[in-house]
Amino acid sequence: MEHIIGMTDTAFLGRVSETALGASALGTVYFLAFFVLGAGFSFGSQILIARRNGEKNFRAAGQICYAGGFFLAIFSLILIFAIKYLSPVLLPLMVKSPDICSAAIEYLNFRTYGLFFAFITTVFRAFYVGIARTKILTVSSVIMVLANIVFNYALIFGKYGMPEMGIAGAALASSIAEAVSMVCYIVYTLKYIDLKKYGFDRIAAMTDTKILKKVFSVSIWMMVQPFFSIGVWFFFFIAVEQLGERSLAVVNVVRCLTTLSFIIIQAFATAANSLVSSLTGEKKADQVWRLIRKVMLVSAAAVMPFLIFMTVFPEICLRIYTDNPSLIADSVDSLYVVCFANVLQIGSFILFNAVSGAGAVKISALIETVNLLIYAALVYLIIIRLRPVPAIAWLTEISYQVIRGILCFIYLISGNWRNNKI
């Protein structure tokens, strides 16, 4: 969801300026660092919902969603307040360019409000993935993207009687699109879900501390781990920003162009997570490796056509995000590197989600911690010390995928996850 929004924002801001491109990259990743706290909580909820669904305990599955939504609504308000007042203090300490820093703060002033809607949406997403009714995810995403496109065009460039807000308009459009997505889930749930069957008729479940403690026991690692993951990724963008506005613009354009393949891989990895959890709940752990292989094959079949097209016709694809000929030329080599990294990500990300789906959330957090430490060291040595072109900077992404994939494979092949209970 957040990556789709980032893609749409960048497509419009690429027609504004390179400063806007760079600032939106920093603002988006900075926002994501806080968003993944709520997404991690929902991801933990998803594992439990899938397990309860596999156990045919449907009422408990819905009550987990209920309690999670109430908690995240409160949590989002706290984060909105913190981000809004701390960002103007923290960002100037990290960002070299005053113009990019100022634009990033302007972007965050409006983007932050989207946290409330995004957090609630992640809970619905966890519920529907957990009970294997995922069509609403597609419908909601399409409506959200359409809303974001319309409001981006109107608010960035001042169309349809709207004020011309530039980068701030992109941020406001994104927050509005997230609100639209949330409303879609609410309407769908009220119309098509048996509220009694899934325990949504029990309002007291919203504040059930036993449910929240259980969710936290699984999700706490999935909140902390991606927070540090995005934090280290933000370090990557800060390091690239030190190379200049052009380098940051190149990185953002390439990041957004390859986001579609990442979304496809993430979708299959998320499905693998729930299916592994469900199989384990049904005492069918012997089928997990067969499932993983199938998910990898289908994921590769879905994503490879996009990656091949981007490597064969890079200039055509890059024009989606910018019409600047020199920026396009400077971005081609980086696109090749990231496309190769995405091929490696198919195996890496699916294996990683299989580990957490098997209930080994502490192990997945340990694997990610080790990988992030190595990644951060490489970012410092390669980007900050050597100050290379963006294509060389992106080589750190390849190392990240390779190390994560190897560590997850070693754990899964050991079989120590078979008797995990959650």
Side-chain angles (χ1 to χ4, degrees):
M1 182 180 64
E2 296 305 317
H3 292 295
I4 292 173
I5 285 177
M7 289 171 60
T8 310
D9 288 354
T10 302
F12 283 97
L13 292 175
R15 272 72 187 176
V16 177
S17 67
E18 288 188 19
T19 298
L21 274 175
S24 67
L26 291 180
T28 298
V29 178
Y30 185 87
F31 174 84
L32 278 174
F34 294 95
F35 166 78
V36 295
L37 290 172
F41 181 88
S42 295
F43 206 23
S45 301
Q46 178 184 305
I47 293 173
L48 287 171
I49 290 169
R51 182 65 60 91
R52 300 298 172 259
N53 192 63
E55 296 167 350
K56 310 302 182 186
N57 189 355
F58 304 117
R59 191 169 180 82
Q63 289 175 352
I64 291 168
C65 176
Y66 223 159
F70 179 76
F71 167 77
L72 287 181
I74 302 300
F75 187 41
S76 67
L77 296 177
I78 295 172
L79 286 180
I80 289 170
F81 179 83
I83 296 171
K84 196 165 183 64
Y85 290 98
L86 290 179
S87 298
V89 178
L90 295 177
L91 284 178
L93 301 176
M94 298 181 284
V95 180
K96 180 180 178 181
S97 168
D99 291 337
I100 288 181
C101 182
S102 177
I105 292 172
E106 185 181 5
Y107 179 84
L108 287 167
N109 280 338
F110 288 93
R111 188 71 186 88
T112 304
Y113 294 116
L115 268 181
F116 176 84
F117 310 114
F119 276 14
I120 302 301
T121 300
T122 61
V123 175
F124 280 113
R125 172 189 169 278
F127 174 71
Y128 285 109
V129 172
I131 66 171
R133 290 179 61 169
T134 57
K135 288 184 179 179
I136 180 58
L137 273 70
T138 302
V139 173
S140 175
S141 295
V142 169
I143 293 174
M144 180 192 68
V145 171
L146 292 175
N148 199 29
I149 290 172
V150 171
F151 284 106
N152 259 315
Y153 180 68
L155 293 170
I156 292 175
F157 303 113
K159 305 296 183 179
Y160 310 131
M162 299 286 189
E164 185 177 346
M165 299 175 64
I167 191 171
L172 181 57
S174 298
S175 295
I176 293 172
E178 285 170 333
V180 170
S181 178
M182 182 190 73
V183 171
C184 286
Y185 278 109
I186 293 173
V187 171
Y188 181 88
T189 302
L190 292 174
K191 187 172 182 179
Y192 294 107
I193 294 298
D194 186 334
L195 302 181
K196 186 174 182 179
K197 174 183 176 181
Y198 285 101
F200 287 117
D201 60 332
R202 182 173 173 258
I203 299 177
M206 293 175 65
T207 56
D208 192 321
T209 55
K210 289 184 179 179
I211 294 176
L212 287 175
K213 281 183 67 176
K214 189 65 177 178
V215 175
F216 265 112
S217 68
V218 176
S219 64
I220 186 64
W221 299 102
M222 309 185 87
M223 296 171 69
V224 174
Q225 166 217 308
F227 177 77
F228 284 109
S229 297
I230 300 297
V232 173
W233 199 32
F234 183 67
F235 174 54
F236 168 81
F237 279 89
I238 289 294
V240 171
E241 191 267 340
Q242 308 298 311
L243 305 179
E245 291 187 9
R246 169 54 63 91
S247 293
L248 187 58
V250 166
V251 166
N252 193 26
V253 166
V254 172
R255 174 187 69 88
C256 288
L257 184 56
T258 54
T259 291
L260 180 58
S261 58
F262 169 75
I263 290 171
I264 296 171
I265 296 168
Q266 186 179 45
F268 282 105
T270 301
N273 177 281
S274 288
L275 291 171
V276 168
S277 183
S278 188
L279 282 176
T280 307
E282 295 171 18
K283 310 300 181 185
K284 297 179 181 177
D286 57 310
Q287 297 183 22
V288 166
W289 270 112
R290 182 166 172 264
L291 168 71
I292 292 172
R293 288 194 296 271
K294 280 189 173 183
V295 174
M296 284 185 182
L297 286 172
V298 178
S299 179
V303 79
M304 287 303 294
F306 292 98
L307 296 178
I308 292 171
F309 186 84
M310 284 189 287
T311 54
V312 175
F313 305 104
E315 290 86 359
I316 293 175
C317 296
L318 288 165
R319 288 188 183 279
I320 297 172
Y321 290 99
T322 179
D323 50 12
N324 185 328
S326 65
L327 180 56
I328 291 173
D330 288 346
S331 302
V332 172
D333 289 342
S334 292
L335 182 60
Y336 292 149
V337 175
V338 179
C339 283
F340 179 67
N342 279 2
V343 174
L344 298 175
Q345 189 179 47
I346 296 171
S348 170
F349 204 18
I350 290 171
L351 287 172
F352 183 73
N353 276 265
V355 171
S356 57
V361 289
K362 291 184 180 180
I363 295 298
S364 66
L366 177 62
I367 288 172
E368 187 70 350
T369 299
V370 171
N371 199 15
L372 287 174
L373 290 173
I374 297 172
Y375 177 78
L378 289 174
V379 168
Y380 175 76
L381 293 173
I382 294 176
I383 302 177
I384 295 179
R385 295 296 298 272
L386 298 180
R387 302 183 66 81
V389 295
I392 301 299
W394 273 118
L395 291 176
T396 55
E397 182 68 18
I398 293 177
S399 69
Y400 178 81
Q401 301 301 338
V402 170
I403 294 169
R404 183 171 63 175
I406 291 173
L407 292 177
C408 290
F409 178 80
I410 291 172
Y411 176 75
L412 288 170
I413 206 72
S414 72
N416 293 334
W417 49 273
R418 290 177 176 270
N419 297 316
N420 286 338
K421 296 184 182 298
I422 57 174

